[in-house]
Amino acid sequence: MRAAAGPWSWSAPLHRSRCGASHQRRSVPCQDASLSASLRSADGLPVGLMAVADGHGGSRYWLSDVGSRLACELAIQLASQDLARQPLEEGRADQLQAVQRWLAAELPGRIVAAWQEAIQADWQGRELPPQHQGEPFSPQAYGSTLALVVLTPNWWGHTGLGDWDLVLLCNDQPDRIISQELDDGLQGEATESLCLARASSCFAARTAVYSLTGEQRQACGLVLTTDGVRKSCAADGDHLALSRYLLEEAQPGQARAAGSTERLDASLDRISRDGSGDDVSVALACFGELRPAPAVTAAVAAAERSDPSPLPVPALTSSSPPGNPPSTRPPAGRLLLAGILLAGGGITALAGFRLLQPRLWPLSTAQQQGLHQESERLCRQPELIEASLKARKTQFRRLRSNPAELGRVLTQKDWLGALIGLSQPGGPGLGPVRVCSELTQALRQHWRTLLNPAAGTAGHDDGLRTGQRHPSRPRPAAPGNGPGGGSADR
Amino acid sequence: MPGFPNVRLANRPLHFIYLCDCSGSMAAQGKMQSLNQAIRQSLPGMTRVARDNPEARVLVRAVSFADQAHWHIAEPTPVEGLQWRDLQANGCTAMGAALELVAEQLHTPPMEERALPPVLVLISDGQPTDDFDAGLARLMREPWAQKAVRLAIALGHDADLEVLQQFIGPAPANQRERSPRRPLQASNATSLAQYIQWASTAVVGAASMPTSRLGGSHDDGNIPLPDLPPTEMDPMDDVGPMVW
């Protein structure tokens, strides 16, 4: 498996969607959609984009085939516009932070708004069939998930919402599912959706950016699928093996040179027919020269068949190695520069994200005292930390999705909830609160697991460096050689 | 070009579990006989639905509860191979124990990661005589129980609608609305047969479909449930052969 142009470039992304066996039998249209695109950044770097979307199906979501198509089109279009105006040469850590925020907040907001506008326009121009005559417009009719992956020579990232899966295949590391929907609080076949009022806030939990510079530059393959593929597999090991096969099947030099994706289509049809019966979509791309690694994949698959515990967390591909966060805060000058650069390109997320956060510091003396006491209580009995945080799983999500929630827990004197909320990546930070290393590590780990079960977030601006929170006190600059901070290794 | 890999593609199991009250009162007025007959008669329809939805593998089990709870059909049995053995009525109503028995099986493993939401149908004519709350709490600790489609059929006037509602989950806000998210009140053999038929065909069909629904929406329960059969709700209006 090899990328099309040069040893360290991405292959042109490929996408396919196939109508599921169940829908074919009922003459229901395919409710999945997928799309990919290639473009150039402002400084001429090649950029790839790939998207998949899964319309919900079922009578309530009767236009979800239109919803998923529009979702893919708009995601690719809006991301392309931003990236075509943006110089991407450097791939520094601060740039990755800004990209992270663009993918987590700015771009989703625009995608959701554009999607809502587009479905409303579609509804107004649509002649309703007899069974839907007189029905008022509802975004639910168009309900769909969405996944978007951005590929550049120096970094790649993903965002989206709903029950899609992203598999990362690397040389020398086990294949793994790097992003999947957590089912905390979701019942049955429930999923997050573009038609939810809170849709844009759902993207952050599925956003991550990975550096491809310096030591992080490794050959890899990405296989993005709608849930129909994974649900067709008996276990995750089968899903990983299937992902590797699909990537090999779509080798640029073979299938596409022949101008055909027939074999890939046939494989997708077989997956649906012998599996879940659901519509199936795949989008895939390859970076560098990915060696076949059947032994590793098979080992993981075999291990999983006997033990369904989660796969190992990646150690080398995130912009900062998980478990080894940078000891210094990114310099304010760099953040400012990145903000200016990105704002010039239409990406104002850096400033915007900060504005979204409640300005809490300085907290009242009583509140600080409450936080200190809670921190001391847990640090005196570190064995309680993990269980205490585990019990707050839902609260982590609420605090992430609703900025007002932090104010609420402070008002209610829920000091552990407040510690969690203050410590969230990009959040207000713990200020002068004294926190032991065990609690710091545990909070960081829980946030990392929530935001991406398999990856650290870019830059680790995670609010956990006490005494480093005040923007007027920038830390000394790292000399540009931190994770993701080096220049491109060409 | 490699061939298709040796991976295990599989349709998704749909576990359908009856929880049947076999207390002594079920012997009265032919209730037990009607229940056995209703389940037996529903099997051909259930088999047809399973055949029409090959992406789901419908697997049936049954728990009987009286003085104690037992697996009446312990193995998840493909519906096409199922032969219903008659249940016998005798004893108390260990409904809590029945829920605990089911809870043990709704754990992963033995539940498959890729299973469809299970369908649990609780059928009772009386009140629990054991610790129902503990049984329900144990059941609802299992994520698969939370995801399950939970239906309840009340036989006659003596059934404890409150505990059956607790098993189902919150009732719809509209009190007058006829809903499968309330206990279905079977007042005679005919309406019981209709509800059993509905649960084993329409609900199984709906649960088999590869569709999604919105997170945070509880309007439809865990899957969008089909309309109830046109059964009279008021036993006084019923024209069945015997009113319970």
Side-chain angles (χ1 to χ4, degrees):
Chain A
M1 278 171 278
R2 189 176 163 179
W8 293 118
S9 59
W10 287 98
S11 62
L14 175 70
H15 68 274
R16 299 300 293 165
S17 289
R18 300 293 289 175
C19 189
S22 169
H23 287 163
Q24 282 184 32
R25 209 171 42 252
R26 295 182 173 85
S27 301
V28 173
C30 178
Q31 283 141 0
D32 271 12
S34 53
L35 200 58
S36 57
S38 299
L39 61 138
R40 296 262 166 193
S41 66
D43 50 353
L45 290 184
V47 177
L49 292 168
M50 51 191 199
V52 299
D54 180 357
H56 301 329
S59 56
R60 176 174 284 192
Y61 315 102
W62 63 285
L63 292 169
S64 61
D65 56 326
V66 180
S68 62
R69 178 177 54 77
L70 289 170
C72 287
E73 288 173 0
L74 291 165
I76 296 277
Q77 181 193 325
L78 293 169
S80 298
Q81 283 171 7
D82 286 349
L83 291 162
R85 288 197 294 254
Q86 181 64 37
L88 299 173
E89 179 64 44
E90 305 231 1
R92 296 187 317 263
D94 52 356
Q95 186 186 45
L96 298 192
Q97 282 187 319
V99 170
Q100 165 91 16
R101 287 161 183 162
W102 171 64
L103 284 173
E106 162 81 3
L107 182 62
R110 292 170 55 217
I111 291 172
V112 171
W115 183 81
Q116 284 170 343
E117 208 172 292
I119 60 170
Q120 203 143 12
D122 178 86
W123 181 267
Q124 281 160 4
R126 178 173 291 276
E127 196 170 322
L128 297 179
Q131 68 271 30
H132 292 286
Q133 286 290 338
E135 193 176 295
F137 167 74
S138 164
Q140 286 198 5
Y142 293 84
S144 176
T145 67
L146 173 65
L148 175 69
V149 175
V150 182
L151 314 164
T152 82
N154 296 325
W155 54 264
W156 70 272
H158 58 78
T159 190
L161 81 174
D163 51 1
W164 47 270
D165 301 293
L166 180 59
V167 169
L168 174 66
L169 312 160
C170 288
N171 291 338
D172 309 321
Q173 285 187 63
D175 300 344
R176 56 194 174 272
I177 298 166
I178 200 165
S179 185
Q180 60 187 313
E181 184 170 52
L182 301 172
D183 68 353
D184 292 3
L186 294 174
Q187 302 294 303
E189 300 289 276
T191 181
E192 307 287 15
S193 168
L194 282 170
C195 67
L196 293 170
R198 58 184 166 81
S200 55
S201 68
C202 299
F203 283 69
R206 303 297 302 279
T207 300
V209 180
Y210 298 82
S211 173
L212 289 170
T213 60
E215 287 181 358
Q216 277 92 39
R217 172 156 286 185
Q218 288 191 15
C220 64
L222 294 173
V223 181
L224 174 65
T225 55
T226 50
D227 67 333
V229 176
R230 191 173 173 193
K231 284 177 178 164
S232 295
C233 299
D236 284 346
D238 299 295
H239 177 55
L240 293 172
L242 196 58
S243 297
R244 187 167 272 277
Y245 168 73
L246 292 174
L247 194 69
E248 288 174 1
E249 185 122 285
Q251 280 184 75
Q254 297 192 26
R256 273 178 283 175
S260 165
T261 52
E262 281 172 16
R263 285 178 65 101
L264 185 57
D265 289 348
S267 295
L268 292 173
D269 289 345
R270 178 170 174 179
I271 291 166
S272 178
R273 188 182 63 242
D274 294 350
S276 67
D278 202 356
D279 299 334
V280 283
S281 291
V282 63
L284 31 83
C286 207
F287 182 76
E289 194 159 343
L290 184 63
R291 293 193 304 271
V296 175
T297 304
V300 171
E304 188 177 322
R305 282 167 198 179
S306 58
D307 176 8
S309 60
L311 292 166
V313 171
L316 296 174
T317 50
S318 63
S319 57
S320 294
N324 183 22
S327 58
T328 55
R329 185 180 176 78
R334 282 186 173 194
L335 289 175
L336 184 62
L337 177 62
I340 292 167
L341 283 171
L342 295 173
I347 304 172
T348 54
L350 186 59
F353 188 81
R354 284 292 178 196
L355 289 175
L356 287 174
Q357 296 302 315
R359 294 185 178 189
L360 290 164
W361 290 107
L363 293 172
S364 72
T365 310
Q367 287 174 323
Q368 290 189 36
Q369 207 173 350
L371 290 167
H372 276 305
Q373 283 173 358
E374 180 64 14
S375 169
E376 275 172 23
R377 181 182 73 82
L378 289 169
C379 290
R380 271 200 308 272
Q381 306 168 84
E383 69 278 11
L384 296 182
I385 292 175
E386 187 55 24
S388 303
L389 295 182
K390 254 188 185 166
R392 301 294 185 107
K393 229 171 164 181
T394 309
Q395 191 174 38
F396 272 87
R397 287 177 70 93
R398 275 207 308 269
L399 284 160
R400 190 64 185 176
S401 61
N402 179 8
E405 183 69 9
L406 181 50
R408 199 183 65 78
V409 297
L410 278 165
T411 308
Q412 292 180 343
K413 299 181 182 174
D414 172 6
W415 303 125
L416 179 55
L419 286 171
I420 292 168
L422 291 166
S423 69
Q424 67 180 298
L430 291 171
V433 178
R434 291 183 300 275
V435 182
C436 60
S437 61
E438 290 94 332
L439 182 54
T440 303
Q441 290 297 333
L443 284 166
R444 181 180 285 134
Q445 187 56 46
H446 275 261
W447 276 118
R448 197 176 288 148
T449 305
L450 173 76
L451 295 177
N452 190 323
T457 56
H460 290 274
D461 182 17
D462 56 10
L464 287 166
R465 291 171 293 278
T466 56
Q468 299 177 23
R469 307 264 44 90
H470 201 286
S472 66
R473 274 189 275 150
R475 307 291 290 183
N481 57 357
S487 59
D489 176 19
R490 288 167 179 277
Chain B
M1 183 74 66
F4 199 85
N6 182 24
V7 294
R8 294 168 303 164
L9 295 176
N11 53 9
R12 301 173 67 192
L14 171 57
H15 291 278
F16 186 100
I17 303 178
Y18 282 118
L19 295 91
C20 301
D21 186 343
C22 293
S23 58
S25 59
M26 286 289 288
Q29 297 173 298
K31 280 184 278 192
M32 194 80 260
Q33 189 186 350
S34 299
L35 177 58
N36 283 319
Q37 193 174 341
I39 293 177
R40 188 176 290 108
Q41 285 178 348
S42 72
L43 295 178
M46 198 178 193
T47 305
R48 266 195 308 277
V49 171
R51 202 180 298 131
D52 291 346
N53 294 277
E55 296 78 31
R57 193 166 68 255
V58 181
L59 301 166
V60 182
R61 275 176 282 182
V63 168
S64 65
F65 55 94
D67 287 337
Q68 293 176 322
H70 297 285
W71 281 104
H72 182 62
I73 301 172
E75 281 302 308
T77 307
V79 60
E80 57 272 19
L82 185 68
Q83 293 196 323
W84 186 255
R85 287 180 294 111
D86 279 355
L87 296 160
Q88 305 296 329
N90 183 25
C92 301
T93 311
M95 195 185 287
L99 300 183
E100 289 195 31
L101 208 55
V102 171
E104 287 165 16
Q105 293 301 310
L106 291 185
H107 197 74
T108 302
M111 277 292 287
E112 305 85 345
E113 290 172 35
R114 304 286 188 275
L116 288 157
V119 180
L120 310 181
V121 184
L122 174 60
I123 304 157
S124 174
D125 74 334
Q127 301 183 345
T129 51
D130 65 348
D131 192 346
F132 170 81
D133 291 338
L136 184 62
R138 169 73 186 87
L139 178 73
M140 296 310 290
R141 277 204 296 275
E142 294 298 335
W144 278 115
Q146 295 165 27
K147 293 177 181 180
V149 179
R150 299 184 304 276
L151 306 170
I153 300 176
L155 301 186
H157 282 305
D158 292 336
D160 188 335
L161 297 182
E162 201 175 310
V163 300
L164 295 181
Q165 186 68 66
Q166 284 180 49
F167 169 76
I168 295 168
N174 184 348
Q175 296 291 326
R176 290 176 172 275
E177 183 192 356
R178 197 165 169 246
S179 168
R181 290 171 56 213
R182 290 205 185 87
L184 309 175
Q185 297 183 59
S187 54
N188 58 32
T190 308
S191 54
L192 172 63
Q194 283 174 313
Y195 285 136
I196 294 282
Q197 187 74 23
W198 173 80
S200 61
T201 54
V203 174
V204 166
S208 302
M209 303 246 186
T211 60
S212 307
R213 54 172 282 275
L214 297 183
S217 161
H218 295 282
D219 294 348
D220 290 330
N222 286 342
I223 64 159
L225 285 170
D227 290 339
L228 286 168
T231 305
E232 290 297 336
M233 297 298 286
D234 185 345
M236 299 306 291
D237 296 336
D238 204 272
V239 291
M242 183 181 287
V243 175
W244 293 328

